[in-house]
């Protein structure tokens, strides 16, 4: 077995303007209820808040002073196997692997969380807590992996004094956010079936919502875990798994549906008024040929709303029926409150990678608008009455 050499990458912060001072918070607990408030002086979840809009009300940096931004500090983070002797900050090692896999050359590809005076940074197999003032390392957690495609990690989640992240080899890990010590870890998908997990968990109340990936022919699913214990609360499959399941008539057989893909590997958005978690699903499998799976292949390449308490589907909207181009619909949707024809509406929008922009009523799932934004998007013959593009004949 070849072990790649460890690699380091530079984490850079350039945000201080002359005359500004960054103040840390005295209470380091993150109340989940604060995620419902407008985004201001922290970035406590994947998109900042639940809306997916990634917009902060901070006004410290403006068009008038942005040119005064200067480099505050840089920090070199080592993604090799940590050396515990002589460590200047607490380092913790966990994992189910033997330590034979030390995957080097990792990069930061996910959301960096900020709460109080700490930044929480992730890469596959690694989590760091970094001081926002000087880049000093408060703690480092390393996961001994069993392997898998280390293509990235999309970030962590915070709940009170605890941090949660997914490992590539399919574990949900809970750490003490103040110290980096592990509380527990639970397996969330089968490593033998070649699932891999990169999604940033999303915390809604007392639910940790996690998704996984798979490039073969396994079914996709979204799961909810108890943040206290790691116990599974519910599991929602994105393709029909039993006789009589909704959407089965859009597959040639139950066996085809059960191997139909629809992975959940990017975080969604949450609407507190309906208690719906709205997320996108990946492509059907086989991926680039549809001859063995005639039909729309629900609920792949779709927006889906599930009730957070029960995991039951409230509605769906398919953005790419019978996809044969790998048109995953996993982009994080954005929540919008608007007025249409004089009537206030609760909306959700997504710019799908298939070249179309969709707006849906997020309460009912009814279609509001579809518009093509891709100049060369010619895969669809027309727009159906439902608002979904109709794939051109293969």
């Amino acid at each position: 077995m070849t072990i790649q050499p460890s690699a380091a990458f530079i984490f850079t912060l350039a945000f201080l303007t002359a005359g500004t001072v960054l103040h840390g918070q005295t209470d380091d607990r993150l109340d989940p209820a604060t995620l419902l408030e407008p985004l201001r002086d922290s970035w406590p979840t994947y998109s900042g808040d639940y809306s997916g809009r990634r917009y902060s009300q901070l006004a410290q940096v403006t068009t008038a002073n942005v040119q005064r931004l200067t480099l505050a500090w840089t920090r070199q983070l080592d993604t090799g196997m940590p050396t515990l002797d002589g460590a200047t900050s607490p380092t913790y090692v966990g994992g189910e692997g033997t330590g034979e896999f030390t995957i080097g050359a990792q990069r930061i590809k996910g959301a960096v969380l900020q709460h109080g005076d700490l930044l929480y940074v992730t890469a596959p197999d690694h989590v760091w807590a970094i001081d926002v003032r000087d880049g000093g390392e408060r703690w480092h957690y390393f996961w001994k992996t069993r392997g898998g495609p280390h293509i990235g990690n999309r970030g962590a989640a915070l709940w009170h004094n605890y941090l949660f992240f997914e490992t590539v080899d399919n574990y949900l890990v809970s750490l003490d956010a103040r110290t980096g010590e592990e509380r527990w870890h639970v397996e969330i998908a089968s490593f033998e079936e070649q699932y891999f997990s990169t999604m940033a968990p999303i915390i809604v109340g007392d639910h940790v919502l996690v998704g996984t990936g798979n490039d073969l022919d396994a079914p996709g699913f979204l799961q909810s875990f108890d943040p206290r214990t790691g116990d599974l609360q519910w599991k929602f499959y994105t393709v029909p798994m039993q006789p009589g399941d909704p959407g089965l008539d859009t597959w040639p057989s139950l066996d085809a549906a059960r191997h139909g893909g629809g992975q959940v590997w990017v975080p969604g958005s949450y609407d507190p008024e309906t208690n719906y978690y709205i997320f996108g699903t990946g492509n059907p499998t086989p991926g680039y040929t549809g001859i063995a799976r005639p039909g729309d292949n629900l609920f792949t390449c779709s927006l889906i709303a599930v009730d957070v308490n029960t995991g039951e589907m409230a509605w769906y909207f398919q953005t790419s029926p019978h996809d044969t181009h790998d048109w995953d619909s996993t982009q994080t949707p954005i929540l919008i409150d608007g007025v249409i024809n004089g009537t206030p509406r609760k909306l959700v929008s997504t710019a799908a990678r298939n070249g179309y922009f969709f707006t849906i009523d997020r309460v009912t799932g009814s279609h509001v608008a579809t518009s093509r934004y891709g100049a060369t998007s010619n895969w669809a013959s027309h727009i159906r009455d439902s608002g979904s593009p109709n794939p051109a004949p293969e």
Side-chain angles (χ1 to χ4, degrees):
M1 182 177 299
T2 302
I3 302 176
Q4 298 183 26
S6 64
F9 55 87
I10 302 296
F11 184 66
T12 305
L13 191 65
F15 70 106
L16 296 183
T17 59
T20 64
V21 179
L22 184 65
H23 298 285
Q25 298 178 358
T26 57
D27 184 4
D28 58 359
R29 293 171 58 89
L30 176 66
D31 184 347
T34 62
L35 295 176
L36 300 171
E37 300 173 357
L39 187 60
R40 292 189 180 91
D41 57 356
S42 67
W43 197 274
T45 188
Y46 176 76
S47 293
D49 62 12
Y50 286 136
S51 71
R53 287 175 286 188
R54 293 180 170 261
Y55 174 78
S56 172
Q57 296 190 31
L58 287 175
Q60 195 173 28
V61 178
T62 68
T63 55
N65 64 19
V66 66
Q67 72 274 13
R68 293 164 55 194
L69 288 176
T70 59
L71 177 66
W73 50 259
T74 63
R75 174 79 192 190
Q76 183 169 303
L77 301 175
D78 191 343
T79 60
M81 177 73 175
T83 301
L84 302 182
D85 295 338
T88 58
S89 63
T91 300
Y92 303 97
V93 176
E96 300 278 343
T98 63
E100 296 177 353
F101 287 95
T102 303
I103 313 296
Q106 298 301 316
R107 294 177 175 86
I108 298 173
K109 293 184 178 181
V112 175
L113 303 188
Q114 178 263 318
H115 178 63
D117 60 357
L118 289 180
L119 301 173
Y120 296 99
V121 185
T122 66
D125 305 332
H126 297 268
V127 184
W128 295 269
I130 305 296
D131 192 304
V132 298
R133 297 176 181 84
D134 57 12
E137 185 179 288
R138 293 283 188 89
W139 53 257
H140 173 208
Y141 179 86
F142 174 77
W143 174 265
K144 291 187 296 183
T145 184
R146 295 177 290 177
H150 281 55
I151 59 175
N153 180 281
R154 290 179 171 80
L158 292 170
W159 184 82
H160 295 293
N161 286 327
Y162 309 117
L163 179 143
F164 304 84
F165 74 102
E166 295 185 14
T167 70
V168 172
D169 56 345
N170 306 316
Y171 288 91
L172 175 64
V173 182
S174 176
L175 307 179
D176 187 309
R178 299 162 296 184
T179 67
E181 295 180 83
E182 183 179 315
R183 300 171 61 224
W184 49 256
H185 64 262
V186 295
E187 191 172 26
I188 60 176
S190 170
F191 185 68
E192 288 69 28
E193 294 178 357
Q194 299 195 37
Y195 283 98
F196 57 93
S197 302
T198 63
M199 189 183 116
I202 297 296
I203 307 289
V204 177
D206 293 340
H207 301 272
V208 184
L209 305 178
V210 301
T212 59
N214 193 302
D215 285 332
L216 294 180
D217 61 352
F221 48 80
L222 175 74
Q223 298 179 94
S224 175
F225 290 87
D226 188 316
R228 299 175 182 85
T229 64
D231 292 338
L232 178 66
Q233 295 169 325
W234 51 257
K235 185 174 185 177
F236 171 81
Y237 281 98
T238 62
V239 290
M241 295 295 290
Q242 301 297 331
D245 278 356
L248 183 56
D249 59 340
T250 67
W251 294 87
S253 67
L254 179 59
D255 184 67
R258 286 175 171 174
H259 295 86
Q263 307 301 326
V264 182
W265 46 274
V266 174
S269 301
Y270 170 66
D271 179 15
E273 296 184 52
T274 59
N275 200 39
Y276 293 163
Y277 179 67
I278 305 172
F279 63 98
T281 60
N283 61 278
T285 53
Y288 292 97
T289 176
I291 192 171
R293 48 175 176 83
D296 284 353
N297 309 137
L298 292 172
F299 298 93
T300 66
C301 295
S302 298
L303 277 185
I304 297 177
V306 298
D307 187 291
V308 171
N309 291 336
T310 65
E312 296 180 356
M313 183 170 64
W315 55 259
Y316 76 91
F317 179 85
Q318 192 170 38
T319 60
S320 294
H322 189 69
D323 169 48
T324 57
H325 297 81
D326 194 24
W327 294 142
D328 298 285
S329 194
T330 54
Q331 297 72 27
T332 300
I334 58 173
L335 308 186
I336 303 169
D337 292 343
V339 177
I340 298 178
N341 297 327
T343 302
R345 300 284 294 272
K346 303 292 184 180
L347 308 170
V348 57
S349 292
T350 184
R353 62 191 287 181
N354 63 11
Y356 286 83
F357 186 87
F358 304 91
T359 297
I360 311 300
D361 186 303
R362 69 174 186 261
V363 178
T364 65
S366 59
H367 171 254
V368 175
T370 296
S371 177
R372 192 183 77 169
Y373 69 86
T376 59
S377 299
N378 59 2
W379 62 272
S381 61
H382 61 278
I383 302 300
R384 298 176 179 178
D385 292 340
S386 64
S388 298
N390 189 77
E394 293 183 68

